């Protein structure tokens, strides 16, 4: 639906021509310059005449001129619309894409493939995609009610900028939440609100990386957008392999300055970093003066076993940055995350946030603070924990029936798991059949910077119900069975 | 008001000790580690018992142990609260600030004074501060209504990430808005939504600066947070002086790669970049292959004269980036701005946005799109234009009565103006009296990287009514008059 546009016409001062001419010329150049798209309705002549304080006939005459020259198309009984005059435009550069690649005026970094944004694949609404949480049980009514409350209280205050580190009530609510839900040691002063985990990674990259000097160890396979943030800051990335205990900490080269890790639930394999490895990692950080980024993107959801404390909790040297997000526990469109930072780093991080975008939008921050403070987050996480646990266990049952093909990597948390492909020679068959029958699944290769000897299949259960899981796996099993017959 | 906390206790498996011990140990370490603040209420024993499925006496016994050891303080007839055990904590690094400065693990850039965030001065609610718009006439009801509508429609859709460049309806609404309100030549494809103008500057800095190589000309005096963004990206800044026609374009050194300018309303002097200078600037960009950033932060508000077209509109070489924001036309807490970019730069900018924070929060984007689409922005700007015009003209009248002290720099737009101090020898007297009687006013020195021969006084009229202006100037005039007597 195209809106009728309103416009701003400068009327001629004495001796500069007629009102009709001015109107005509200004509208024509707006159309010619592409400032108004083809198909846009012109405002009613009566309305324009009143708005400008001129006679309606004058406006009609200007419109007629535009119609006569083909800039505007009259429609019987309806508002005239703007014609498509693309061909008549004289601007040589705009919309021409000849110069898109490698324009010498930009930093070529941003056109390198490693920094290309991910285009999200088109998938059915219910799929095995990673990183998308369920939406069906979200307490939208409560959210709307708190939003209205936050906006009503906002309406009583003068407009102003708010603190770069986040509004105080949200920092306090987050500190409280992570202290108990995730065993993170912090107070409100240690919390910096960010626009999602991605901004946290970006800010940490800017804080910790000296371009060309800093080496950052990343899990391989690992989360690509985190790599983007560090590459953009000029870091050298050092990919570190994984096994069922998570990152192989012993493989860390001594000269690494930053280690990024997903200890609660590795992204994408789902492995948990073992206690042994955690201790080794913190020892490494202490010995080498390195820092650790603990990316805890979906650790709220846990389905058994004894959870390990957050790495941050075990840190006695101010080496660990804990990154949390509400993209999985609430919803990604919210774009709210946070860093729990050691004291030496807070000031620098707040300066970075200030230079990056001043602060995150304040009314949404207040809304989120109220949602957490009033206990809705805790309740929702509890509820979803049951929902996801049922899916997780259904998925494990289904995978158990395919154990000659796929062996799940132990994982008791989050919204996805991965299953190793038993026969590397059949990896491409398994992956392609999986993508056909379990849309959204992927090879861990999609998360890797180097070829992987053993590929695994990532399977998300954020947006797929237990019965949908069972139905999809039925088809997948059949397909695998007939593939087996063919390959014999 | 401290919330009661909810918590997560791991019950012992067989042979690992009693439930009472587990509860006691886990609560104690939460308190000792500072994960729960002094004064926090413990949840009711009945509630904990039910939640964990254990006997209430067990919980009572664990609480008693904590009380006996002084971790918890019982209160008659009320919930027990957590004691202050700061002194008992064993963590050596947290909360100690010895290592705050120059921790070798961070990029020292972020502790340089030039990148220090601005701390906003405490000022009365009504003041002459720059950059804060009026809040009294904002259509809060409409905003709330559209917010509810946006959230209702959001509730019907599955959760997902949204495009980094912005939601389509907001890009379209912005393109429409700037085409007509600001004579900017663009379509929705040219618009990239940002979190306020500051993120636009940061993204442009990252796009355009090759660290150590790129020279960026900035207005001097000029907007400090823009400088921060470019310094952070590794640019060399080249300050360019101003006069009543805006930036002295003839002073641009030939090797400048980027020129940042506020042509509609210089920040902070209020000068308009003359047509002559605009043409020269675009010529410079063409000749030198430079790009121009047009920061149009408050150009919607205009009080007379014939406005000049946006620089972007005159550009035929794809040299101009137009940066807009809703921080002045709506409110700063919204954190919504945008870049209208030449086609060669869009892809790079979207990659930057993706690496920076994935995208801006989507529900607020939809709300803003509806607000613009339904004509509320245009109406509100029109209304506020009248409000600000009255203040602007009152301010000019008041300044006219002080023309032996202050001479306004010609300015017919925006939310502030500046007045040159006639006698440089009396600058500090004028500034200090102004700050006493016109709170929020400042010397243009606060915006300058170099000493200024002629200081001017910046006076905002975003949050001060005409009668408040008149009253404040009355006091200021008297104070200046007695200062004159004293200095004779």
């Amino acid at each position: 639906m195209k809106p009728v546009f309103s416009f701003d016409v400068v009327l001629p001062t004495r001796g500069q021509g007629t009102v009709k001419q001015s109107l005509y010329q200004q509208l024509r150049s707006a159309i010619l310059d592409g400032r108004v798209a083809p198909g846009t309705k012109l405002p009613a002549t009566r309305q324009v005449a009143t708005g400008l304080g001129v006679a309606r006939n004058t406006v009609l005459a200007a419109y007629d001129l535009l119609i006569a020259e083909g800039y505007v198309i009259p429609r019987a009984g309806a508002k005239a619309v703007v014609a498509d005059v693309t061909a008549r435009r004289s601007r040589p550069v705009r919309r021409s894409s000849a110069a898109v690649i490698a324009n010498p005026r930009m930093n070529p970094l941003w056109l390198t493939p490693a920094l290309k944004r991910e285009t999200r694949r088109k998938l059915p609404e219910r799929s095995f995609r990673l990183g998308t949480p369920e939406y069906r049980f979200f307490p939208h009514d409560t959210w709307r009610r708190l939003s209205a409350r936050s906006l009503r209280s906002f309406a009583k205050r003068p407009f102003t900028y708010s603190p770069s580190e986040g509004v105080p009530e949200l920092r306090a609510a987050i500190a409280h939440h992570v202290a108990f839900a995730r065993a993170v040691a912090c107070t409100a002063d240690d919390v910096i609100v960010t626009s999602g985990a991605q901004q946290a990674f970006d800010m940490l990259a800017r804080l910790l990386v000296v371009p060309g000097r800093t080496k950052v160890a990343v899990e391989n396979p690992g989360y690509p957008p985190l790599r983007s943030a560090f590459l953009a800051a000029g870091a050298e990335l050092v990919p570190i392999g994984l096994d069922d205990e998570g990152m192989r900490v012993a493989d860390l080269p001594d000269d690494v300055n930053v280690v990024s890790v997903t200890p609660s639930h590795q992204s994408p394999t789902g492995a948990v970093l073992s206690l042994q490895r955690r201790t080794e990692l913190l020892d490494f950080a202490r010995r080498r003066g390195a820092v650790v980024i603990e990316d805890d993107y979906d650790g709220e959801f846990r389905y058994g076993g004894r959870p390990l404390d957050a790495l941050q909790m075990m840190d006695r040297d101010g080496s660990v940055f804990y990154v949390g997000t509400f993209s999985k526990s609430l919803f990604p469109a919210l774009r709210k995350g946070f860093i729990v930072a050691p004291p030496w780093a807070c000031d620098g991080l707040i300066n970075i946030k200030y230079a990056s975008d001043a602060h995150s939008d304040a009314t949404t921050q207040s809304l989120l603070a109220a949602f957490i403070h009033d206990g809705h987050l805790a309740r929702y996480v509890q509820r979803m924990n049951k929902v996801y646990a049922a899916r997780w266990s259904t998925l494990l049952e289904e995978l158990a029936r395919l154990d000659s093909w796929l062996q799940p990597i132990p994982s008791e948390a989050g919204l996805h798991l991965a299953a190793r492909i038993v026969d590397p020679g059949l990896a491409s068959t398994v992956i392609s059949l999986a993508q056909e029958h379990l849309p959204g699944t992927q090879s861990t290769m999609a998360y890797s910077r180097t070829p992987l000897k053993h590929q695994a299949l990532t399977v998300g259960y954020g947006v797929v119900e237990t019965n949908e899981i069972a139905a999809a796996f039925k088809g997948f099993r059949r397909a695998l069975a007939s593939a087996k017959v063919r390959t014999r």
Side-chain angles (χ1 to χ4, degrees), chain A:
Chain A
M1 180 185 59
K2 298 247 185 221
V4 173
F5 63 84
S6 66
F7 61 98
D8 212 17
V9 166
V10 181
L11 292 184
T13 49
R14 198 179 300 273
Q16 285 194 299
T18 66
V19 171
K20 184 187 81 176
Q21 274 179 324
S22 287
L23 251 176
Y24 158 75
Q25 283 163 354
Q26 289 172 59
L27 274 169
R28 189 187 61 163
S29 69
I31 295 167
L32 258 182
D33 279 304
R35 282 181 281 142
V36 48
T40 307
K41 289 177 193 158
L42 289 192
T45 48
R46 195 182 306 275
Q47 189 192 328
V48 178
T50 315
L52 297 173
V54 302
R56 189 176 163 218
N57 274 341
T58 309
V59 183
L60 274 171
Y63 277 28
D64 283 344
L65 217 45
L66 291 166
I67 291 168
E69 299 192 339
Y71 292 102
V72 164
I73 303 161
R75 294 185 311 172
K79 289 187 170 111
V81 296
V82 169
D84 188 344
V85 293
T86 320
R88 301 198 211 171
R89 284 189 207 159
S90 58
R91 315 193 86 215
V93 165
R94 300 201 60 79
R95 300 285 101 234
S96 109
S97 60
V100 169
I101 304 300
N103 187 300
R105 293 178 288 186
M106 70 180 275
N107 186 329
L109 178 75
W110 293 103
L111 295 174
T112 55
L115 286 172
K116 190 87 197 145
R117 65 195 172 276
E118 187 196 12
T119 34
R120 288 179 75 78
R121 291 166 299 155
K122 288 262 176 253
L123 288 172
E125 189 187 307
R126 309 304 288 177
S127 80
F128 295 87
R129 154 176 277 171
L130 257 59
T132 309
E134 184 55 81
Y135 70 100
R136 292 184 171 176
F137 309 108
F138 186 76
H140 283 289
D141 290 351
T142 305
W143 189 262
R144 268 202 304 279
R145 184 170 51 76
L146 293 178
S147 164
R149 196 172 87 184
S150 155
L151 290 175
R152 270 194 305 274
S153 116
F154 174 69
K156 290 177 195 145
R157 297 195 301 256
F159 291 150
T160 181
Y161 286 84
S162 85
S164 296
E165 59 271 27
V167 303
E169 66 267 32
L170 181 56
R171 297 173 81 201
I174 289 173
H176 228 85
H177 169 66
V178 293
F180 282 88
R182 306 295 304 124
V184 169
C186 69
T187 69
D189 290 340
D190 306 314
V191 174
I192 295 159
V193 176
T194 64
S195 293
Q198 187 60 31
Q199 189 178 47
F201 302 144
D202 187 52
M203 287 169 56
L204 289 171
R206 298 171 86 169
L207 180 82
L208 299 171
V209 173
V210 177
R213 287 232 310 266
T214 305
K215 292 192 179 179
V216 179
V218 294
E219 297 168 323
N220 192 55
Y223 186 61
L226 175 131
R227 293 199 298 257
S228 300
F230 278 92
L231 280 176
E236 181 187 331
L237 297 187
V238 183
I240 307 290
L242 307 166
D243 58 24
D244 285 6
E245 290 184 57
M247 179 186 262
R248 292 180 201 268
V249 173
D251 292 355
L252 287 170
D254 275 355
D255 60 350
V256 151
N257 310 98
V258 178
V259 183
S260 174
V261 67
T262 46
S264 312
H265 188 230
Q266 205 275 332
S267 173
T269 70
V272 177
L273 193 67
S274 66
L275 187 58
Q276 170 79 12
R277 296 266 171 94
R278 287 171 192 237
T279 312
E280 284 168 16
L281 178 55
L282 292 177
D283 281 348
F284 175 88
R286 187 178 310 118
R287 269 184 293 120
R288 315 300 320 173
V291 305
V292 176
I293 296 172
E294 175 173 28
D295 171 14
D296 192 20
Y297 58 105
D298 67 359
E300 286 94 344
F301 303 110
R302 292 193 308 254
Y303 320 119
R306 188 189 166 87
L308 294 168
D309 275 344
L311 258 183
Q312 192 268 1
M313 172 66 187
M314 300 167 65
D315 170 31
R316 291 290 182 276
D317 313 290
S319 301
V320 175
F321 290 83
Y322 176 92
V323 174
T325 175
F326 297 99
S327 291
K328 313 300 177 224
S329 57
L330 296 174
F331 55 91
L334 179 58
R335 306 312 304 136
K336 291 288 167 290
F338 56 93
I339 304 172
V340 177
W344 57 267
C346 285
D347 203 50
L349 281 172
I350 302 171
N351 289 342
I352 292 173
K353 178 71 181 165
Y354 181 71
S356 299
D357 61 4
H359 61 82
S360 292
D361 62 323
T363 55
T364 314
Q365 285 190 65
S366 298
L367 156 57
L368 177 56
F371 191 85
I372 300 173
H373 182 274
D374 294 358
H376 300 294
L377 174 64
R379 272 195 287 282
Y380 182 58
V381 166
Q382 204 164 33
R383 176 174 189 182
M384 293 312 294
N385 209 70
K386 291 190 189 115
V387 171
Y388 293 136
R391 297 177 184 181
W392 170 76
S393 81
T394 302
L395 193 51
L396 286 180
E397 284 162 25
E398 294 296 340
L399 284 167
R401 301 172 67 177
L402 284 172
D403 63 354
S404 61
W405 295 91
L406 288 163
Q407 297 205 321
I409 296 170
S411 173
E412 301 185 322
L415 304 184
H416 73 265
L417 52 73
R420 211 165 271 122
I421 297 170
V422 174
D423 182 348
L426 292 175
S428 64
T429 308
V430 174
I431 300 289
S432 80
L433 290 176
Q435 293 194 325
E436 184 182 331
H437 294 276
L438 314 173
T441 54
Q442 271 189 303
S443 163
T444 43
M445 275 304 299
Y447 298 81
S448 177
R449 306 187 73 222
T450 55
L452 295 175
K453 238 186 292 175
H454 294 285
Q455 288 181 59
L457 183 73
T458 66
V459 191
Y461 43 90
V463 282
V464 63
E465 309 265 2
T466 51
N467 60 334
E468 294 164 337
I469 293 172
F473 268 80
K474 197 170 170 186
F476 183 43
R477 272 199 308 279
R478 282 197 193 136
L480 284 174
S482 33
K484 193 158 212 163
V485 172
R486 280 202 308 278
T487 52
R488 261 175 195 160

